[in-house]
Amino acid sequence: SQLSGELRASGSQIEKSVQYIEEHYMLKLTLPMLAERTGLSKGHYSVLFKERTGLTVGGYLKRLRVERAKQLFAQGETSAKKAAQSVGFNDYFHFSRTFKEVTGISPTQYIQQLHEIE
């Protein structure tokens, strides 16, 4: 039916959007911009995105950026400020709060734990 075709098409648009976010997470990404890229309204995009990922766009981006920062730390980046900028945070304090919110520990504590393991 036409409706199931539209649902498949919008699901595919969300998949493409998630892929775009994964590749461009370090840029300033906004809900209106992402929705416009898919041709969906902000509301419809938000609902479909949450159905697909289980997270809001902001929540998904936050977790993705923290995961990328953790990868940088694991690869030897010892400056939390540099890592913050690399993953798309302009404000280090915002990065630090977000990192702690997602992981339960500060970026500095995370780096220290990595070095204790080595």
Side-chain angles (χ1 to χ4, degrees):
S1 78
Q2 184 181 354
L3 181 61
S4 66
E6 286 176 17
L7 288 174
R8 269 198 310 280
S10 55
S12 153
Q13 288 296 89
I14 296 297
E15 292 295 324
K16 287 180 188 164
S17 188
V18 168
Q19 186 177 359
Y20 180 83
I21 292 169
E22 298 266 342
E23 293 169 5
H24 299 90
Y25 63 88
M26 70 296 292
L27 303 176
K28 181 173 171 42
L29 301 175
T30 65
L31 173 61
M33 181 197 102
L34 292 167
E36 188 177 317
R37 283 182 57 82
T38 62
L40 300 169
S41 72
K42 291 183 289 192
H44 192 192
Y45 179 86
S46 294
V47 169
L48 292 174
F49 190 91
K50 185 152 188 175
E51 282 176 4
R52 158 65 178 78
T53 65
L55 296 166
T56 63
V57 173
Y60 187 86
L61 201 48
K62 186 188 298 188
R63 286 176 184 252
L64 178 61
R65 287 176 171 164
V66 167
E67 285 307 311
R68 294 295 198 259
K70 286 166 60 177
Q71 289 173 358
L72 289 174
F73 297 144
Q75 293 166 0
E77 177 59 71
T78 55
S79 166
K81 284 186 179 178
K82 278 187 188 171
Q85 289 177 331
S86 296
V87 300
F89 283 91
N90 295 326
D91 176 5
Y92 174 73
F93 296 105
H94 180 59
F95 168 73
S96 186
R97 273 195 315 270
T98 300
F99 192 95
K100 188 166 187 173
E101 180 187 318
V102 172
T103 65
I105 59 175
S106 73
T108 308
Q109 290 170 310
Y110 187 84
I111 293 168
Q112 287 170 342
Q113 285 183 1
L114 278 177
H115 292 300
E116 288 170 10
I117 295 168
E118 291 173 356

